[in-house]
Amino acid sequence: MMPLPLIGIPTSVRVRNDVSVHSVHEDEITAAMDAAAGMPVLIPALGGALDTASLLARLDGLLVAGAISNIEPHHYGDVPRTSTSPVDPQRDATALPLIRDAIDAGVPLLAICRGMQELNVALGGSLHQQIHDLDGKMDHRCPPDAPAAVRFQDAHKVSFAEGGVLAGIAQAAIGTDQATVNSLHGQGIDRLAVGLVIEARAPDGIVEAVRVKDAPAFAIGIQWHPEWQATEDKLSAAIFRAFGDAARDRAQAQGRGG
């Protein structure tokens, strides 16, 4: 049997009862397994102590998923606009350089929600810290204390850029250049990083997906959460399948795919 491609997932850090816990959501793990057909490997948020070169040499894909925390604004030359924004400096110190190195190494990348924002910041872009306070923009947040089925329910449409990677995936999966997606973010892309191409927008113009233009492998960022019902939703399943296929291609090229 062909070995499953290894898909790394950077963890977030929360302090519980004075103990730091490195974790990811189970939906992200099961999406990597069931929708991308890979073997998830959790990456601790070790910052500069992480040997990214050795790690990436062993990985076939990198899934940078969402989190409750936001990227600290100093990473994109700004100051905090609210005192209540949760942060995770250990994740910042791990994920931002890891994303850059993964792209350079040709490791397929799927970045979701905070992960897409990290992709933009890692490559030199900036963020809106509170989209809901901007004139003409929707409130992209979800009810924070609601059950998961409510938080992850469809919220608004996205329109895919003509000729884009996601447009092709969407046409094949659902036969259209638009989709209705969930929305669980308060922040979003402001200044697009050089080297990123917009793949989708919300009705209010907020960037909902990006692609690394000259990446040697699959490298997509998505603002919504396709890991929710990743095997049931046709578009989500197709996105993870494309990511998994890219990871299998890398595994085979590296002599790990039989």
Side-chain angles (χ1 to χ4, degrees):
M1 179 181 294
M2 183 179 296
L4 297 177
L6 295 182
I7 297 177
I9 309 177
T11 60
S12 296
V13 179
R14 297 189 197 179
V15 178
R16 299 172 182 168
N17 297 322
D18 297 324
V19 175
S20 293
V21 178
H22 296 237
S23 64
V24 302
H25 293 164
E26 187 174 21
D27 282 347
E28 297 149 5
I29 294 172
T30 56
M33 291 181 60
D34 299 336
M39 177 56 64
V41 178
L42 304 193
I43 302 171
L46 300 178
L50 187 69
D51 184 350
T52 59
S54 295
L55 173 66
L56 291 170
R58 292 167 170 82
L59 290 181
D60 303 307
L62 182 65
L63 174 61
V64 187
I68 293 175
S69 64
N70 293 310
I71 303 165
E72 290 192 295
H74 70 81
H75 288 291
Y76 49 92
D78 205 350
V79 297
R81 304 298 176 182
T82 172
S83 61
T84 59
S85 178
V87 295
D88 185 346
Q90 288 176 253
R91 169 151 170 168
D92 291 348
T94 305
L96 295 175
L98 184 60
I99 287 170
R100 290 189 288 265
D101 291 345
I103 293 170
D104 290 343
V107 176
L109 169 69
L110 178 57
I112 295 172
C113 198
R114 187 196 209 267
M116 186 184 87
Q117 296 167 15
E118 287 170 319
L119 171 61
N120 187 57
V121 171
L123 299 184
S126 68
L127 302 177
H128 294 299
Q129 293 185 42
Q130 293 177 296
I131 295 174
H132 49 280
D133 286 341
L134 301 176
D135 289 341
K137 303 302 181 186
M138 304 184 301
D139 190 340
H140 287 254
R141 299 172 297 177
C142 67
D145 299 321
V150 175
R151 297 197 311 275
F152 287 90
Q153 68 185 353
D154 288 346
H156 62 74
K157 289 186 178 297
V158 296
S159 298
F160 298 107
E162 184 178 357
V165 171
L166 287 179
I169 291 173
Q171 283 288 350
I174 59 176
T176 180
D177 61 357
Q178 289 190 336
T180 304
V181 301
N182 53 41
S183 188
L184 292 86
H185 61 105
Q187 302 199 342
I189 289 179
D190 180 6
R191 184 183 69 253
L192 187 70
V194 174
L196 290 184
V197 178
I198 295 173
E199 286 271 324
R201 288 187 184 270
D204 61 357
I206 290 296
V207 176
E208 287 283 333
V210 296
R211 168 174 51 91
V212 182
K213 183 178 181 181
D214 296 322
F218 183 98
I220 293 287
I222 295 173
Q223 187 59 75
W224 68 92
H225 287 263
E227 77 277 11
W228 173 251
Q229 297 184 331
T231 56
E232 294 85 358
D233 179 78
K234 290 182 179 179
L235 177 59
S236 298
I239 291 169
F240 273 100
R241 186 164 54 249
F243 171 58
D245 288 346
R248 277 179 286 280
D249 287 345
R250 174 173 168 80
Q252 187 170 14
Q254 297 292 315
R256 294 190 285 266

